């Protein structure tokens, strides 16, 4: 398969709900969580591309067993987590046969439960909207951070978007609209909060940072196909992407013309970073995101970008050139010094009044601190209470398993004890004594968790064996008159060495140590 000559589409999934997963016995499987996404509707996208309801129904089976992926960005604040999802994390590299290919840095956190199906959601105006939907099983214990973040989106009512890719091999152009045909869905990537939306379907948003570049590549692929007579069965790659507005569209189009393919590869412009005379774009360089401020002008024909005047900036309340940061900091230090001087002068003139004001401020600060601590303690208490409820639920869930395990261990120990004493009683010819109900009760008590009860039961059993040995010896002496076996030598015999398992038990009940 020639992966470089494939046509690829990107559409949007939106998280619609989270549910528990039950096994065949009706019990909750805590390792799985079901997430339902709406994928796409059947209207034209921003780049004039349509996947009809009929085509979706024909291709819905290809959603089965496809992965749910994400690029997870870990939190830097554990008190107020600020973790988020990223993008596709795409980068260009080569296949093992040397061909160029676009890979991703995402990893799978789940898999689709079944094929896609038709559903109805409400659009932003409250109207019913037919969509293609799909259920995914999230691996909750294997990727807890990612699943917890998805659940946070859901519980807070935040919209969680994710980009769905599909491959298609043919399409029809009708009145300037491309109707995609013969498609197969591929992977689905969860997108972060700051990823700009792009699919203009009321509640569905799709995303891809390199939309214009991909469209250019698509046009090149189409030209090659027409010029070289390529087979209709070859699959090509394209993106189903929507403009964020005329300005952003013009900016992205212009950047694609003046940048090299390598420069444009990771370029991303958010609609939140476009201003009247400049915009900020981000690019992935040396394993980190770098931000550039670029001036531009608008005119009737579009926009003009002065890419040569771009400067590196950092995110703040405003975008500030990196070279200006030191000067700004020095100005702040000078201002602080002047404020300190004026404050000292004021203290000398109004010491008494300031002392009272400081006391009030101090008391207010303490009150505020106590209030804050009260809130923290209350929150921690609520968290602990929730945790206790959760743990109690888990304990109840595991009680049957623990009870079954304890029963199996008890049966194993009892069978071992029965086999052990059966052999001892057989050796002394007292199998009838062994089979008595009271003997069996003593064997059960010998494995009791009550150590005192267990020792007494073992002693009684051993005493029965010893008495049986005495009786046997006495009878042999009466019959033959020549056999003379003492009790002490019988106790020391090899077959009786384990009548009491421990030396301290022997000494406790017989009053002397064994040699």
């Amino acid at each position: 398969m020639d992966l470089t000559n494939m046509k690829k589409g990107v559409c949007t999934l939106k998280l619609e709900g989270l549910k528990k997963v039950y096994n065949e016995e009706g019990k909750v499987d805590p390792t799985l969580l079901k997430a339902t996404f709406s994928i796409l509707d059947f209207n034209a996208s921003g780049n004039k591309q349509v996947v009809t309801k009929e085509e979706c129904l024909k291709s819905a089976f290809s959603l089965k067993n496809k992965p749910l992926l994400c690029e997870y960005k870990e939190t830097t604040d554990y008190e107020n987590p600020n973790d988020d999802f990223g993008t596709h994390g795409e980068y260009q590299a080569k296949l093992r046969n040397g061909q160029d290919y676009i890979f991703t840095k995402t990893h799978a956190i789940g898999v689709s439960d079944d094929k896609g199906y038709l559903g109805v959601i409400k659009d932003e105006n409250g109207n019913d909207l037919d969509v293609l939907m799909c259920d995914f099983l999230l691996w909750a214990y294997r990727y807890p951070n990612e699943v917890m973040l998805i659940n946070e989106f859901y519980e807070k009512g935040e919209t969680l978007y994710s980009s769905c890719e599909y491959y298609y091999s043919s399409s029809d152009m009708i009145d300037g609209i491309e109707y995609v045909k013969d498609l197969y869905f591929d992977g689905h990537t969860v997108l972060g909060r700051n990823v700009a939306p792009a699919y203009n379907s009321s509640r569905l948003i799709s995303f891809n940072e390199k939309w214009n570049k991909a469209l250019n590549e698509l046009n090149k692929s189409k030209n090659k196909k027409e010029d070289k007579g390529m087979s209709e069965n070859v699959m090509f790659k394209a993106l189903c992407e929507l403009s964020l507005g005329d300005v952003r569209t013009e900016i992205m189009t212009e950047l694609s013309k003046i940048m090299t393919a390598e420069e444009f590869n990771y370029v991303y412009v958010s609609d939140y970073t476009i201003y009247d005379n400049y915009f900020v774009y981000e690019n992935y360089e040396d394993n980190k995101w770098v931000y550039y401020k670029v001036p531009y002008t608008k005119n009737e024909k579009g926009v003009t970008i002065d890419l040569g005047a771009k400067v590196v900036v950092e995110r703040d309340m405003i975008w500030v050139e990196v070279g200006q940061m030191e000067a700004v900091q020095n100005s702040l230090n000078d201002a602080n010094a002047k404020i300190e001087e004026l404050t000292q002068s004021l203290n000398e003139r109004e010491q008494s009044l300031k002392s009272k004001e400081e006391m009030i401020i101090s008391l207010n600060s303490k009150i505020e601190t106590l209030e804050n601590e009260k809130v923290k303690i209350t929150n921690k208490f609520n968290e602990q209470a929730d945790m206790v409820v959760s743990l109690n639920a888990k304990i109840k869930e595991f009680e049957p398993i623990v009870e079954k395990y304890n029963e199996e261990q008890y049966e194993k120990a009892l069978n071992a004890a029965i086999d052990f004493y059966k052999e001892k009683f057989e050796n002394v010819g007292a199998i009838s004594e062994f089979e008595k109900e009271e003997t069996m009760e003593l064997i059960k008590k010998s494995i009791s968790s009550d150590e005192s009860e267990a020792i007494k039961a073992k002693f009684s059993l051993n005493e029965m064996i010893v008495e049986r040995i005495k009786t046997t010896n006495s009878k042999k002496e009466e019959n033959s008159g020549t056999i003379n076996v003492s009790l002490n030598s019988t106790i020391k015999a090899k077959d009786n060495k384990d009548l009491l398992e421990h030396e301290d038990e022997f000494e406790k009940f017989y009053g002397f140590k064994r040699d």
Side-chain angles (χ1 to χ4, degrees):
M1 179 184 295
D2 187 356
L3 295 177
T4 60
N5 289 326
M6 300 186 76
K7 199 171 184 180
K8 186 176 181 181
V10 176
C11 56
T12 290
L13 298 89
K14 177 180 179 297
L15 178 65
E16 297 293 338
L18 286 172
K19 299 179 181 179
K20 295 179 180 179
V21 178
Y22 295 84
N23 58 24
E24 295 179 355
E25 298 177 358
K27 295 182 179 180
V28 175
D29 185 342
T31 67
L32 296 175
L33 192 65
K34 181 178 287 188
T36 301
F37 287 88
S38 57
I39 300 178
L40 76 165
D41 63 17
F42 315 113
N43 300 315
S45 65
N47 66 337
K48 299 182 179 180
Q49 193 175 64
V50 170
V51 181
T52 65
K53 182 184 294 187
E54 291 74 18
E55 286 296 328
C56 279
L57 287 175
K58 286 167 55 178
S59 306
F61 74 94
S62 65
L63 276 166
K64 186 175 182 179
N65 298 326
K66 298 302 166 63
L68 185 68
L69 308 117
C70 75
E71 181 186 23
Y72 178 66
K73 298 181 179 180
E74 295 183 356
T75 183
T76 58
D77 184 355
Y78 293 101
E79 291 292 331
N80 299 291
N82 56 6
D83 54 341
D84 201 358
F85 296 117
T87 63
H88 294 277
E90 294 179 331
Y91 65 97
Q92 188 168 342
K94 291 184 181 297
L95 295 172
R96 61 195 302 267
N97 60 6
Q99 290 180 318
D100 290 332
Y101 191 72
I102 296 179
F103 295 87
T104 66
K105 296 180 181 178
T106 54
H107 63 273
I109 58 173
V111 66
S112 57
D113 187 29
D114 205 344
K115 64 182 180 180
Y117 56 91
L118 294 180
V120 179
I121 63 173
K122 295 291 184 181
D123 64 17
E124 60 183 3
N125 298 317
N127 300 319
D128 288 343
L129 184 66
D130 292 334
V131 296
L132 181 67
M133 306 184 76
C134 189
D135 298 330
F136 292 84
L137 297 178
L138 307 181
W139 300 323
Y141 279 14
R142 184 165 294 277
Y143 297 102
N145 285 335
E146 291 87 334
V147 174
M148 288 169 65
L149 180 55
I150 290 176
N151 188 58
E152 180 177 299
F153 271 87
Y154 179 67
E155 290 184 345
K156 288 184 177 180
E158 293 184 61
T159 302
L160 177 63
Y161 296 100
S162 53
S163 176
C164 173
E165 298 179 347
Y166 56 82
Y167 292 89
Y168 64 101
S169 57
S170 63
S171 62
D172 294 328
M173 295 297 296
I174 303 176
D175 297 330
I177 303 295
E178 182 180 20
Y179 288 78
V180 175
K181 299 167 63 177
D182 302 323
L183 66 144
Y184 292 86
F185 289 98
D186 195 30
H188 316 287
T189 303
V190 178
L191 304 178
R193 294 184 175 90
N194 296 322
V195 175
Y199 197 93
N200 197 24
S201 173
S202 298
R203 291 183 61 188
L204 298 172
I205 300 174
S206 62
F207 166 81
N208 192 290
E209 302 124 337
K210 298 178 290 301
W211 63 277
N212 197 66
K213 175 186 174 184
L215 290 176
N216 291 338
E217 293 298 326
L218 172 59
N219 291 331
K220 292 178 183 178
S221 297
K222 287 183 177 178
N223 292 335
K224 289 180 181 178
K225 180 179 177 182
E226 293 171 0
D227 294 341
K228 298 182 180 181
M230 296 175 68
S231 169
E232 288 292 331
N233 294 325
V234 176
M235 299 187 75
F236 291 86
K237 182 178 180 180
L239 301 175
C240 179
E241 187 65 25
L242 177 62
S243 165
L244 294 176
D246 293 338
V247 175
R248 182 176 183 274
T249 301
E250 293 297 333
I251 288 174
M252 293 296 292
T253 302
E254 188 66 13
L255 285 176
S256 70
K257 295 177 181 177
I258 61 180
M259 283 183 167
T260 65
E262 183 177 359
E263 287 178 313
F264 194 76
N265 190 39
Y266 286 104
V267 167
Y268 171 62
V269 179
S270 169
D271 56 342
Y272 299 109
T273 59
I274 298 176
Y275 302 90
D276 289 337
N277 55 9
Y278 73 94
F279 65 92
V280 176
Y281 76 87
E282 60 185 59
N283 207 336
Y284 197 72
E285 301 174 2
D286 298 328
N287 297 321
K288 65 179 180 180
W289 288 100
V290 181
Y291 302 93
Y292 292 96
K293 175 182 175 182
V294 183
Y296 80 100
T297 56
K298 292 179 282 189
N299 51 58
E300 294 181 356
K301 295 182 179 180
V303 300
T304 301
I305 297 174
D306 187 2
L307 191 61
K310 70 178 182 180
V311 292
V312 178
V313 295
E314 292 183 358
R315 191 189 302 274
D316 201 342
M317 296 300 293
I318 58 174
W319 292 101
V320 181
E321 294 182 18
V322 174
Q324 296 177 349
M325 293 300 295
E326 184 176 353
V328 172
Q329 187 61 50
N330 290 336
S331 297
L332 289 174
N333 292 338
D334 292 341
N336 289 333
K338 290 180 180 179
I339 291 173
E340 185 177 354
E341 182 180 350
L342 291 173
T343 302
Q344 184 177 358
S345 176
L346 182 62
N347 286 340
E348 293 173 354
R349 297 177 184 181
E350 302 178 359
Q351 188 64 42
S352 176
L353 178 61
K354 188 177 185 304
S355 177
K356 294 179 181 179
E357 290 176 350
E358 287 178 349
M359 185 177 295
I360 293 173
I361 292 172
S362 176
L363 291 173
N364 287 337
S365 177
K366 289 181 180 179
I367 292 173
E368 184 178 358
T369 300
L370 290 173
E371 288 293 336
N372 291 336
E373 297 216 347
K374 178 182 176 182
V375 172
K376 288 182 180 179
I377 292 172
T378 301
N379 290 339
K380 287 184 178 180
F381 175 80
N382 291 336
E383 290 175 2
Q384 294 296 327
D386 293 340
M387 186 179 295
V388 168
V389 172
S390 177
L391 289 174
N392 285 337
K394 288 185 180 297
I395 289 172
K396 289 184 178 179
E397 183 179 341
F398 283 105
E399 278 180 354
I401 298 174
V402 173
E403 289 177 0
K404 182 178 179 181
Y405 174 80
N406 290 336
E407 288 176 1
E408 291 176 351
Q409 293 302 311
Y410 175 79
E411 290 296 328
K412 186 185 294 184
L414 179 60
N415 291 335
I418 290 174
D419 292 341
F420 175 80
Y421 283 107
K422 181 179 181 181
E423 181 182 358
K424 299 301 180 184
F425 275 86
E426 285 179 342
N427 288 341
V428 298
I431 192 65
S432 59
E433 291 294 324
F434 169 80
E435 294 174 347
K436 289 183 178 181
E437 184 177 349
E438 53 267 27
T439 304
M440 289 299 166
E441 287 298 321
L442 285 173
I443 293 175
K444 291 179 181 179
K445 290 180 180 180
S446 71
I447 62 170
S448 172
S449 58
D450 185 339
E451 185 177 357
S452 175
E453 183 180 36
I455 291 174
K456 289 180 180 180
K458 289 177 182 179
F459 177 80
S460 298
L461 289 166
N462 292 333
E463 191 175 39
M464 293 169 64
I465 295 170
V466 171
E467 288 299 324
R468 181 64 180 184
I469 292 172
K470 286 181 179 180
T471 303
T472 302
N473 289 342
S474 297
K475 290 181 178 180
K476 287 182 178 180
E477 289 177 358
E478 291 176 2
N479 293 333
S480 65
T482 60
I483 297 175
N484 185 17
V485 180
S486 69
L487 178 60
N488 289 337
S489 62
T490 301
I491 294 174
K492 294 178 182 179
K494 181 177 180 181
D495 290 342
N496 300 320
K497 67 177 182 179
D498 293 326
L499 290 178
L500 286 177
E501 297 180 354
H502 301 288
E503 186 65 34
D504 54 350
E505 297 177 18
F506 187 96
E507 182 180 359
K508 181 176 179 180
F509 292 100
Y510 287 101
F512 60 89
K513 295 185 177 179
R514 290 185 287 192
D515 293 336

